[in-house]
Amino acid sequence: MTTHRIWIKNPLALFTATDQSAPGGLVIENGVITELLVAGATPSLFIDETFDAREHVVLPGLVNAHHHFYQTLTRAWGPVVNEPLFSWLLTLYPIWARLTPRALELASKVALAELLLSGCTTTADHHYLFPAGLEEAIDIQVGAVRELGMRAMLTRDSMNLSKVDGGPPGKSVVQTAEVILADSERLIHRYHERGDGAQIQIALAPCSPFSVTTDLMRSCAELAERYDVRLHTHLGETLDEQPFCAQRFGMRTVDYLQSVGWLGPRTWLAHGIHFNQVEMHRLGAAGVGICHCPSSNMRLASGICHTLELENKGAIIGLGVDGAASNDASNMMLEARQALFIQRLRYGAKKITPEKVLGWATRGSARLLGRRDIGELAVGKQADLALFKLDELRFSGSHDPIAALLLCGADRADRVMVGGQWKVCDGQIPGLDIAGLIADHKLAARELVNG
Ligand code: ZN
């Protein structure tokens, strides 16, 4: 294999996600970071390609730890614009039940392209709709991720309780536990990559503990243990989960999580808002990860995550944009800005710095996905980078480049690299016909809503 070395030279600013500094930039060899350079230093070995980054703020590629790609087809849909979570879900399920393979492919590409252009290099997705004809939904998503050249943790979601069994969705989108578990094993065997540099990974992810049976929750935990993959679900998103859980299972949500073998470091939860102090302590002590989704939580008026309390008790905090019917953007930089502001409302300005929030959006989210090879700029890590220019009107007159990204509202990267390969150049994705994609996606969105 021939060696290819790239020097990202003398950046305007560089955020490593740790306390290292590298004003001279960094050196990448075959997709992996091999040197961080002090001011005035030059690479120790011959360089094939130099990228002059004097106008760029360099971040580790952002990592999105929670999404539902298919929801890009129902953004800002009139009937649910002003609805809270439960009625929002019940109104949308019959629409989503019509999802087709082609619509999912387009929706996934749109979400991925939007994320990539915002500086995101790795994303999770939580797909839970498998109506007849869409049994290979995750396979479709794998194709879209590979086409865009990003990394992804695709979670094989599941629902085996429909409305008639006391779950939220209609009958046509739920599957039996046997089908769900067999497909989960198939996907792990077929796609789950292990080790540094993995592009596609699979996790097991019942939509919520209330949309599957207790047996299926337990079986997912056992399967995850057997194959060493991660577990993901929604929990603690709204207050009404607690009485619902008490009524159905006779216990609170965290007790239920423990009772089905989910209270451990393999699990990361979307939202994680409504827990008491003792429960936060238990989640932290167990090493459970929490994906904070500020835009969605504000949009649906669900509540504000207790990020610092959870973190102080040992939980890992990361960020996610959540599904595009509750955000309705798939932009990781705007999500970090929202996290900065909403968390300042809870904890004050001094404790919630831009660096802290960018840490959640990079290293924190990477750890939620069980990854140590991405999310920070350090020797031995994957060369996943997001480079931003501060040349737009909105940045004019700004001083601290890292703070400016969030305070002035950066929303589009100038360059993005995944594993040493440029995937965004001059704010564009080479080879992707964005206008054509938008036209096809718009049509699919209209067809889905109109039936
Ligand atoms: Zn979600």
Side-chain angles (χ1 to χ4, degrees), residues 139-160:
D139 306 70
I140 291 168
Q141 294 190 314
V142 168
V145 171
R146 286 183 175 155
E147 196 177 324
L148 272 289
M150 296 168 68
R151 304 184 200 277
M153 170 69 86
L154 299 171
T155 74
R156 205 301 179 183
D157 203 326
S158 51
M159 299 193 290
N160 71 338

Side-chain angles (χ1 to χ4, degrees), residues 13-20 57-60 62 311 317 319 333 336-337 339-340 344 349-364 375 399-407:
L14 184 139
F15 175 75
T16 58
T18 59
D19 49 14
Q20 301 180 61
V57 183
V58 182
L59 305 182
L62 303 170
E311 200 169 58
I317 304 292
L319 292 186
M333 282 305 282
R337 175 175 158 90
L340 178 80
R344 282 187 167 196
K350 285 203 183 300
K351 287 187 179 160
I352 306 293
T353 62
E355 288 79 3
K356 175 150 201 74
V357 173
L358 287 172
W360 288 340
T362 52
R363 193 163 65 141
H399 299 274
D400 176 336
I402 302 281
L405 288 178
L406 297 191
L407 296 180

Side-chain angles (χ1 to χ4, degrees), residues 204 206 209 213-226 229-233 251 253-269 282-283 286 288:
L204 306 181
T213 55
T214 299
D215 280 350
L216 184 54
M217 282 297 282
R218 279 209 193 95
S219 301
C220 284
E222 286 161 14
L223 204 60
E225 197 68 38
R226 189 174 344 141
V229 297
R230 295 184 83 75
L231 290 165
H232 182 47
T233 193
M251 58 182 101
T253 52
V254 174
D255 296 322
Y256 184 64
L257 211 60
Q258 183 163 21
S259 76
V260 289
W262 274 61
L263 202 65
R266 204 178 277 294
T267 299
W268 91 102
L269 304 173
R282 288 169 65 197
L283 290 165
V288 171

Side-chain angles (χ1 to χ4, degrees), residues 126-332:
H126 197 187
H127 187 82
Y128 48 82
L129 298 172
F130 297 86
L134 195 55
E135 289 83 0
E136 298 196 339
I138 305 295
D139 306 70
I140 291 168
Q141 294 190 314
V142 168
V145 171
R146 286 183 175 155
E147 196 177 324
L148 272 289
M150 296 168 68
R151 304 184 200 277
M153 170 69 86
L154 299 171
T155 74
R156 205 301 179 183
D157 203 326
S158 51
M159 299 193 290
N160 71 338
L161 285 177
S162 72
K163 259 190 222 162
V164 289
D165 310 306
K171 196 99 191 138
S172 66
V173 290
V174 304
Q175 295 177 302
T176 64
E178 294 69 38
V179 167
I180 291 163
L181 293 168
D183 194 45
S184 300
E185 283 199 79
R186 175 185 75 84
L187 291 167
I188 293 168
H189 286 303
R190 178 138 189 214
Y191 297 118
H192 185 72
E193 297 171 31
R194 298 178 192 274
D196 285 4
Q199 183 181 18
I200 306 281
Q201 295 192 314
I202 302 290
L204 306 181
C207 186
S208 81
F210 316 112
S211 41
V212 297
T213 55
T214 299
D215 280 350
L216 184 54
M217 282 297 282
R218 279 209 193 95
S219 301
C220 284
E222 286 161 14
L223 204 60
E225 197 68 38
R226 189 174 344 141
Y227 287 105
D228 190 20
V229 297
R230 295 184 83 75
L231 290 165
H232 182 47
T233 193
H234 294 96
L235 201 75
E237 183 172 3
T238 57
L239 261 180
D240 48 18
E241 273 179 28
Q242 291 291 8
F244 190 79
C245 196
Q247 187 205 0
R248 175 172 293 177
F249 303 116
M251 58 182 101
R252 287 177 59 86
T253 52
V254 174
D255 296 322
Y256 184 64
L257 211 60
Q258 183 163 21
S259 76
V260 289
W262 274 61
L263 202 65
R266 204 178 277 294
T267 299
W268 91 102
L269 304 173
H271 306 293
I273 301 168
H274 299 288
F275 302 124
N276 62 31
Q277 289 294 328
V278 174
E279 288 165 342
M280 283 192 259
H281 180 78
R282 288 169 65 197
L283 290 165
V288 171
I290 305 288
C291 179
H292 177 33
C293 304
S295 298
S296 171
N297 299 158
M298 287 187 271
R299 153 81 145 89
L300 297 171
S302 301
I304 306 176
C305 181
H306 294 78
T307 52
L308 292 193
E309 278 123 305
L310 283 158
E311 200 169 58
N312 291 339
K313 294 175 199 303
I316 296 156
I317 304 292
L319 292 186
V321 299
D322 200 7
S326 67
N327 182 324
D328 302 9
S330 300
N331 189 303
M332 268 302 284

